[in-house]
PDB file of all heavy atoms in Angstrom:
ATOM      1  N   LEU A  83      81.026   4.716-105.589  1.00 95.00           N
ATOM      2  CA  LEU A  83      79.810   4.109-106.024  1.00 95.00           C
ATOM      3  C   LEU A  83      79.999   2.603-105.834  1.00 95.00           C
ATOM      4  O   LEU A  83      79.162   1.999-105.061  1.00 95.00           O
ATOM      5  CB  LEU A  83      79.397   4.493-107.296  1.00 95.00           C
ATOM      6  CG  LEU A  83      78.136   3.827-107.909  1.00 95.00           C
ATOM      7  CD1 LEU A  83      76.994   4.229-107.031  1.00 95.00           C
ATOM      8  CD2 LEU A  83      77.909   4.094-109.347  1.00 95.00           C
ATOM      9  N   ALA A  84      80.922   2.046-106.324  1.00 96.00           N
ATOM     10  CA  ALA A  84      81.091   0.568-106.232  1.00 96.00           C
ATOM     11  C   ALA A  84      81.288   0.107-104.750  1.00 96.00           C
ATOM     12  O   ALA A  84      80.680  -0.895-104.347  1.00 96.00           O
ATOM     13  CB  ALA A  84      82.393   0.094-106.918  1.00 96.00           C
ATOM     14  N   GLU A  85      82.021   0.921-103.953  1.00 96.00           N
ATOM     15  CA  GLU A  85      82.196   0.617-102.546  1.00 96.00           C
ATOM     16  C   GLU A  85      80.877   0.665-101.815  1.00 96.00           C
ATOM     17  O   GLU A  85      80.499  -0.275-101.087  1.00 96.00           O
ATOM     18  CB  GLU A  85      83.184   1.584-101.911  1.00 96.00           C
ATOM     19  CG  GLU A  85      84.557   1.336-102.219  1.00 96.00           C
ATOM     20  CD  GLU A  85      85.543   2.380-101.778  1.00 96.00           C
ATOM     21  OE1 GLU A  85      85.115   3.285-100.919  1.00 96.00           O
ATOM     22  OE2 GLU A  85      86.494   2.576-102.342  1.00 96.00           O
ATOM     23  N   ARG A  86      79.994   1.689-102.044  1.00 96.00           N
ATOM     24  CA  ARG A  86      78.699   1.826-101.454  1.00 96.00           C
ATOM     25  C   ARG A  86      77.825   0.678-101.845  1.00 96.00           C
ATOM     26  O   ARG A  86      77.054   0.088-101.076  1.00 96.00           O
ATOM     27  CB  ARG A  86      78.184   3.242-101.814  1.00 96.00           C
ATOM     28  CG  ARG A  86      78.756   4.289-101.104  1.00 96.00           C
ATOM     29  CD  ARG A  86      77.955   5.505-101.377  1.00 96.00           C
ATOM     30  NE  ARG A  86      78.498   6.648-100.714  1.00 96.00           N
ATOM     31  CZ  ARG A  86      78.006   7.851-100.556  1.00 96.00           C
ATOM     32  NH1 ARG A  86      76.894   8.050-100.890  1.00 96.00           N
ATOM     33  NH2 ARG A  86      78.622   8.816 -99.804  1.00 96.00           N
ATOM     34  N   LEU A  87      77.828   0.353-103.154  1.00 97.00           N
ATOM     35  CA  LEU A  87      76.897  -0.686-103.621  1.00 97.00           C
ATOM     36  C   LEU A  87      77.321  -1.980-102.921  1.00 97.00           C
ATOM     37  O   LEU A  87      76.342  -2.845-102.643  1.00 97.00           O
ATOM     38  CB  LEU A  87      76.976  -0.680-105.076  1.00 97.00           C
ATOM     39  CG  LEU A  87      76.353   0.457-105.769  1.00 97.00           C
ATOM     40  CD1 LEU A  87      76.603   0.376-107.356  1.00 97.00           C
ATOM     41  CD2 LEU A  87      74.919   0.576-105.503  1.00 97.00           C
ATOM     42  N   MET A  88      78.539  -2.247-102.830  1.00 97.00           N
ATOM     43  CA  MET A  88      79.027  -3.530-102.290  1.00 97.00           C
ATOM     44  C   MET A  88      78.595  -3.631-100.861  1.00 97.00           C
ATOM     45  O   MET A  88      78.146  -4.628-100.330  1.00 97.00           O
ATOM     46  CB  MET A  88      80.560  -3.696-102.432  1.00 97.00           C
ATOM     47  CG  MET A  88      80.932  -5.073-102.347  1.00 97.00           C
ATOM     48  SD  MET A  88      80.164  -6.157-103.614  1.00 97.00           S
ATOM     49  CE  MET A  88      79.876  -7.602-102.735  1.00 97.00           C
ATOM     50  N   GLU A  89      78.813  -2.416-100.073  1.00 97.00           N
ATOM     51  CA  GLU A  89      78.372  -2.433 -98.693  1.00 97.00           C
ATOM     52  C   GLU A  89      76.873  -2.655 -98.659  1.00 97.00           C
ATOM     53  O   GLU A  89      76.475  -3.457 -97.731  1.00 97.00           O
ATOM     54  CB  GLU A  89      78.826  -1.105 -98.086  1.00 97.00           C
ATOM     55  CG  GLU A  89      78.332  -0.932 -96.546  1.00 97.00           C
ATOM     56  CD  GLU A  89      78.742   0.332 -96.151  1.00 97.00           C
ATOM     57  OE1 GLU A  89      79.311   1.192 -96.689  1.00 97.00           O
ATOM     58  OE2 GLU A  89      78.405   0.706 -94.865  1.00 97.00           O
ATOM     59  N   CYS A  90      76.085  -2.140 -99.365  1.00 97.00           N
ATOM     60  CA  CYS A  90      74.672  -2.236 -99.357  1.00 97.00           C
ATOM     61  C   CYS A  90      74.339  -3.633 -99.806  1.00 97.00           C
ATOM     62  O   CYS A  90      73.487  -4.272 -98.959  1.00 97.00           O
ATOM     63  CB  CYS A  90      74.040  -1.313-100.432  1.00 97.00           C
ATOM     64  SG  CYS A  90      72.227  -1.264-100.520  1.00 97.00           S
ATOM     65  N   LEU A  91      74.932  -4.214-100.746  1.00 97.00           N
ATOM     66  CA  LEU A  91      74.609  -5.574-101.129  1.00 97.00           C
ATOM     67  C   LEU A  91      74.896  -6.582 -99.999  1.00 97.00           C
ATOM     68  O   LEU A  91      74.112  -7.431 -99.587  1.00 97.00           O
ATOM     69  CB  LEU A  91      75.401  -5.952-102.363  1.00 97.00           C
ATOM     70  CG  LEU A  91      75.186  -7.381-102.980  1.00 97.00           C
ATOM     71  CD1 LEU A  91      73.839  -7.713-103.262  1.00 97.00           C
ATOM     72  CD2 LEU A  91      76.148  -7.624-104.175  1.00 97.00           C
ATOM     73  N   ASN A  92      76.094  -6.344 -99.317  1.00 97.00           N
ATOM     74  CA  ASN A  92      76.418  -7.282 -98.338  1.00 97.00           C
ATOM     75  C   ASN A  92      75.542  -7.180 -97.090  1.00 97.00           C
ATOM     76  O   ASN A  92      75.006  -8.094 -96.467  1.00 97.00           O
ATOM     77  CB  ASN A  92      77.807  -6.974 -97.809  1.00 97.00           C
ATOM     78  CG  ASN A  92      78.904  -7.536 -98.750  1.00 97.00           C
ATOM     79  OD1 ASN A  92      78.700  -8.492 -99.417  1.00 97.00           O
ATOM     80  ND2 ASN A  92      79.978  -6.934 -98.779  1.00 97.00           N
ATOM     81  N   ASN A  93      75.014  -5.912 -96.750  1.00 97.00           N
ATOM     82  CA  ASN A  93      74.059  -5.704 -95.746  1.00 97.00           C
ATOM     83  C   ASN A  93      72.666  -6.328 -96.128  1.00 97.00           C
ATOM     84  O   ASN A  93      72.041  -6.991 -95.217  1.00 97.00           O
ATOM     85  CB  ASN A  93      73.843  -4.195 -95.536  1.00 97.00           C
ATOM     86  CG  ASN A  93      75.132  -3.656 -94.839  1.00 97.00           C
ATOM     87  OD1 ASN A  93      75.840  -4.339 -94.117  1.00 97.00           O
ATOM     88  ND2 ASN A  93      75.230  -2.335 -94.880  1.00 97.00           N
ATOM     89  N   TRP A  94      72.295  -6.193 -97.280  1.00 97.00           N
ATOM     90  CA  TRP A  94      70.940  -6.759 -97.649  1.00 97.00           C
ATOM     91  C   TRP A  94      71.006  -8.258 -97.769  1.00 97.00           C
ATOM     92  O   TRP A  94      69.993  -8.912 -97.428  1.00 97.00           O
ATOM     93  CB  TRP A  94      70.480  -6.077 -99.155  1.00 97.00           C
ATOM     94  CG  TRP A  94      70.046  -4.665 -99.005  1.00 97.00           C
ATOM     95  CD1 TRP A  94      70.435  -3.759 -98.205  1.00 97.00           C
ATOM     96  CD2 TRP A  94      69.087  -4.110 -99.899  1.00 97.00           C
ATOM     97  NE1 TRP A  94      69.844  -2.554 -98.372  1.00 97.00           N
ATOM     98  CE2 TRP A  94      69.050  -2.740 -99.516  1.00 97.00           C
ATOM     99  CE3 TRP A  94      68.340  -4.481-101.006  1.00 97.00           C
ATOM    100  CZ2 TRP A  94      68.256  -1.843-100.140  1.00 97.00           C
ATOM    101  CZ3 TRP A  94      67.547  -3.635-101.617  1.00 97.00           C
ATOM    102  CH2 TRP A  94      67.447  -2.317-101.233  1.00 97.00           C
ATOM    103  N   GLU A  95      72.007  -8.800 -98.176  1.00 97.00           N
ATOM    104  CA  GLU A  95      72.054 -10.248 -98.185  1.00 97.00           C
ATOM    105  C   GLU A  95      72.173 -10.702 -96.694  1.00 97.00           C
ATOM    106  O   GLU A  95      71.549 -11.787 -96.477  1.00 97.00           O
ATOM    107  CB  GLU A  95      73.407 -10.734 -98.808  1.00 97.00           C
ATOM    108  CG  GLU A  95      73.245 -10.479-100.345  1.00 97.00           C
ATOM    109  CD  GLU A  95      74.608 -10.829-101.134  1.00 97.00           C
ATOM    110  OE1 GLU A  95      75.584 -10.647-100.556  1.00 97.00           O
ATOM    111  OE2 GLU A  95      74.524 -11.398-102.225  1.00 97.00           O
ATOM    112  N   ALA A  96      72.870  -9.984 -95.769  1.00 97.00           N
ATOM    113  CA  ALA A  96      72.836 -10.478 -94.463  1.00 97.00           C
ATOM    114  C   ALA A  96      71.549 -10.420 -93.741  1.00 97.00           C
ATOM    115  O   ALA A  96      71.215 -11.290 -92.791  1.00 97.00           O
ATOM    116  CB  ALA A  96      73.874  -9.648 -93.687  1.00 97.00           C
ATOM    117  N   ALA A  97      70.703  -9.532 -94.223  1.00 95.00           N
ATOM    118  CA  ALA A  97      69.382  -9.332 -93.554  1.00 95.00           C
ATOM    119  C   ALA A  97      68.400 -10.446 -94.125  1.00 95.00           C
ATOM    120  O   ALA A  97      67.253 -10.688 -93.512  1.00 95.00           O
ATOM    121  CB  ALA A  97      68.809  -8.004 -93.978  1.00 95.00           C
TER     122      ALA A  97
END
Side-chain angles (χ1 to χ4, degrees):
L83 178 62
E85 289 171 14
R86 286 185 180 198
L87 292 174
M88 202 61 222
E89 180 180 357
C90 180
L91 180 57
N92 288 332
N93 288 338
W94 286 30
E95 287 176 327

